[in-house]
Amino acid sequence: MRPLTEEETRVMFEKIAKYIGENLQLLVDRPDGTYCFRLHNDRVYYVSEKILRLAANISGDKLVSLGTCFGKFTKTHKFRLHITALDYLAPYAKYKVWIKPGAEQSFLYGNHVLKSGLGRITENTSQYQGVVVYSMADIPLGFGVAAKSTQDCRKVDPMAIVVFHQADIGEYVRHEETLT
């Protein structure tokens, strides 16, 4: 368990900023205490400093997980967000997509969102912008990348992809043995 290097911090914050923008500061400076990011086995954990001090008594090879896993660094040093970060990204998301009830199951099975399943989209969403995907009942289902801008979504074919799938809450069931 170690703090992130400057390069790792920059790469991770750039990825998170795609989804929550300048609200990134709200993740670190919270009213209920100070939280930080720590790296353990190529995974980044979001943990309160209070719990971090308590975990200092546990050796690194015995420690499995600490706090909430936000994502992991790949072998090429790119950062990949995990679905476990959704609870922290959703309240601060700048760009949101709501999908129709019929398209929810398809998205939760790992498929992209089609125009026919799109319920609403935040205004001024640009192409390739990170978005949080919600059900029509405002339940966060996952996150992805906008394949089309808001203006393009209005005039596109119903079978065209409007949101590229990145992660969804169905992964808890599909990949339960690898999530930590």
Side-chain angles (χ1 to χ4, degrees):
M1 182 75 57
R2 67 169 175 81
L4 278 69
T5 64
E6 281 291 323
E7 180 66 16
E8 290 167 341
T9 304
R10 184 187 61 76
V11 170
M12 184 191 71
F13 281 175
E14 282 175 1
K15 179 68 111 174
I16 294 173
K18 283 184 176 181
Y19 296 93
I20 63 175
E22 64 274 355
N23 293 336
L24 182 62
Q25 189 65 33
L26 298 173
L27 281 179
V28 181
D29 299 330
R30 291 177 38 173
D32 58 338
T34 307
Y35 283 72
C36 58
F37 293 96
R38 289 292 185 258
L39 187 73
H40 182 65
N41 295 337
D42 286 334
R43 297 186 189 282
V44 177
Y45 293 94
Y46 181 65
V47 61
S48 75
E49 288 190 351
K50 179 181 171 187
I51 293 177
L52 186 63
R53 283 192 296 275
L54 295 172
N57 299 331
I58 303 169
S59 66
D61 58 330
K62 301 264 191 267
L63 189 64
V64 176
S65 174
L66 178 69
T68 302
C69 182
F70 247 61
K72 71 178 219 171
F73 282 99
T74 62
K75 297 209 184 308
T76 58
H77 302 292
K78 293 181 181 156
F79 185 70
R80 178 159 297 143
L81 276 171
H82 279 190
I83 189 58
T84 49
L86 180 65
D87 292 335
Y88 297 96
L89 295 179
Y92 304 119
K94 289 179 68 173
Y95 300 101
K96 302 175 183 179
V97 170
W98 289 266
I99 58 176
K100 295 176 182 173
E104 284 178 24
Q105 185 174 8
S106 176
F107 180 74
L108 294 177
Y109 280 142
N111 298 318
H112 303 307
V113 177
L114 302 177
K115 167 69 163 77
S116 60
L118 184 67
R120 294 189 320 226
I121 187 168
T122 307
E123 281 299 317
N124 301 325
T125 302
S126 60
Q127 189 175 19
Y128 306 123
Q129 175 67 51
V131 294
V132 175
V133 179
Y134 287 85
S135 68
M136 291 305 273
D138 275 339
I139 299 169
L141 299 176
F143 47 86
V145 175
K148 308 267 188 232
S149 66
T150 304
Q151 289 74 22
D152 293 343
C153 285
R154 292 190 178 110
K155 56 183 177 254
V156 78
D157 162 53
M159 294 309 290
I161 296 172
V162 292
V163 176
F164 295 123
H165 175 273
Q166 292 220 317
D168 64 80
I169 56 176
E171 288 180 23
Y172 284 119
V173 176
R174 292 194 313 269
H175 303 292
E176 65 183 316
E177 70 279 348
T178 59
L179 284 175
T180 57

